[in-house]
Amino acid sequence: RIVSARNAVGGNMPFAYEKFYTSEDGYNVVLTIDEVIQHYAEPLMNERMRLLQQADTAPSLKAYVRAFIEPTFRIILDESLGGPEHLRLLWRLPQEPINLLKKVHSRFHEPVVHEMLGRIRPYCDVNDVALSWKLHVMMSILYTTLGRCVDPIELDSGERWIADSWMKDNEQVLSMLIDTAVLVLSHPLSLGAA
């Protein structure tokens, strides 16, 4: 957009002033999805923070992993927390305008990840690159598994492929997610080392 000096009737002024501003996607856009994401993401972040602090009373890698994973897992089981629609909304984020993604990441994700990394670092004998990668893998496993629990796959034939039998017991799925995350995080593999 161009901003220039004009008089009250839109004519040129005796002095010249003009400034060009490049557009920025989503700069002036207020999206309702912004409010929806905050409605779901803020309580999730607060619950994770509360559980991380609670885990400090009996610290262990498993307690911290549970504090991080369980609130996310519970949202698909509880409609008052958003249920499956909340999870679908989380999956949609990468397709949203970058400004929204940055805002959600910096406001609701980074603070919890920072707290989580600070607490699990003593239990993980790896460098920072490896630890960050392992946390990424843990979260990828979590969201992929939750996706399989929420949305059965529709095959080309029109049939719906229902989740594997192990996915029918939510407590078992949660336990397997936590145990797998602990295994991933505690493995001695150190990425990025010479």
Side-chain angles (χ1 to χ4, degrees):
R1 75 183 168 151
I2 298 174
V3 175
S4 59
R6 301 278 180 203
N7 64 23
V9 292
N12 289 332
M13 299 287 283
F15 57 89
Y17 173 81
E18 186 173 277
K19 179 153 173 107
F20 175 76
Y21 293 91
T22 58
S23 65
E24 186 177 328
D25 288 343
Y27 181 73
N28 279 340
V29 178
V30 177
L31 302 170
T32 55
I33 191 143
D34 223 355
E35 292 176 23
V36 172
I37 289 170
Q38 181 171 350
H39 172 76
Y40 291 123
E42 196 166 34
L44 175 62
M45 178 190 70
N46 292 339
E47 181 65 4
R48 280 178 165 168
M49 292 293 221
R50 186 185 73 74
L51 291 175
L52 284 170
Q53 290 171 351
Q54 188 178 26
D56 288 340
T57 60
S60 70
L61 181 57
K62 191 169 187 169
Y64 292 129
V65 167
R66 176 177 285 280
F68 192 84
I69 288 178
E70 189 167 7
T72 308
F73 184 80
R74 296 284 176 217
I75 64 174
I76 67 168
L77 305 176
D78 187 343
E79 290 293 330
S80 71
L81 299 175
E85 291 307 313
H86 181 184
L87 190 60
R88 289 183 188 99
L89 185 64
L90 290 175
W91 285 341
R92 238 182 92 182
L93 280 178
Q95 286 77 43
E96 295 299 327
I98 193 67
N99 290 344
L100 177 61
L101 186 58
K102 285 179 184 176
K103 188 184 313 180
V104 169
H105 190 269
S106 65
R107 285 180 61 198
F108 303 114
H109 186 70
E110 280 179 9
V112 176
V113 169
H114 177 75
E115 291 292 323
M116 175 71 167
L117 284 172
R119 285 172 168 87
I120 66 174
R121 185 172 266 79
Y123 302 96
C124 306
D125 189 24
V126 295
N127 63 33
D128 287 347
V129 171
L131 185 56
S132 179
W133 172 252
K134 289 176 178 206
L135 191 60
H136 167 75
V137 169
M138 177 192 88
M139 290 168 36
S140 297
I141 292 168
L142 169 65
Y143 291 125
T144 301
T145 302
L146 291 177
R148 291 274 306 280
C149 289
V150 169
D151 282 330
I153 298 170
E154 184 148 335
L155 303 174
D156 289 339
S157 65
E159 293 179 57
R160 289 170 56 94
W161 177 73
I162 305 302
D164 295 322
S165 60
W166 58 265
M167 292 184 166
K168 307 255 186 271
D169 179 349
N170 290 325
E171 292 307 313
Q172 180 182 356
V173 173
L174 177 60
S175 178
M176 288 188 301
L177 281 167
I178 291 167
D179 290 346
T180 302
V182 168
L183 180 66
V184 166
L185 291 168
S186 63
H187 192 278
L189 173 68
S190 182
L191 302 173

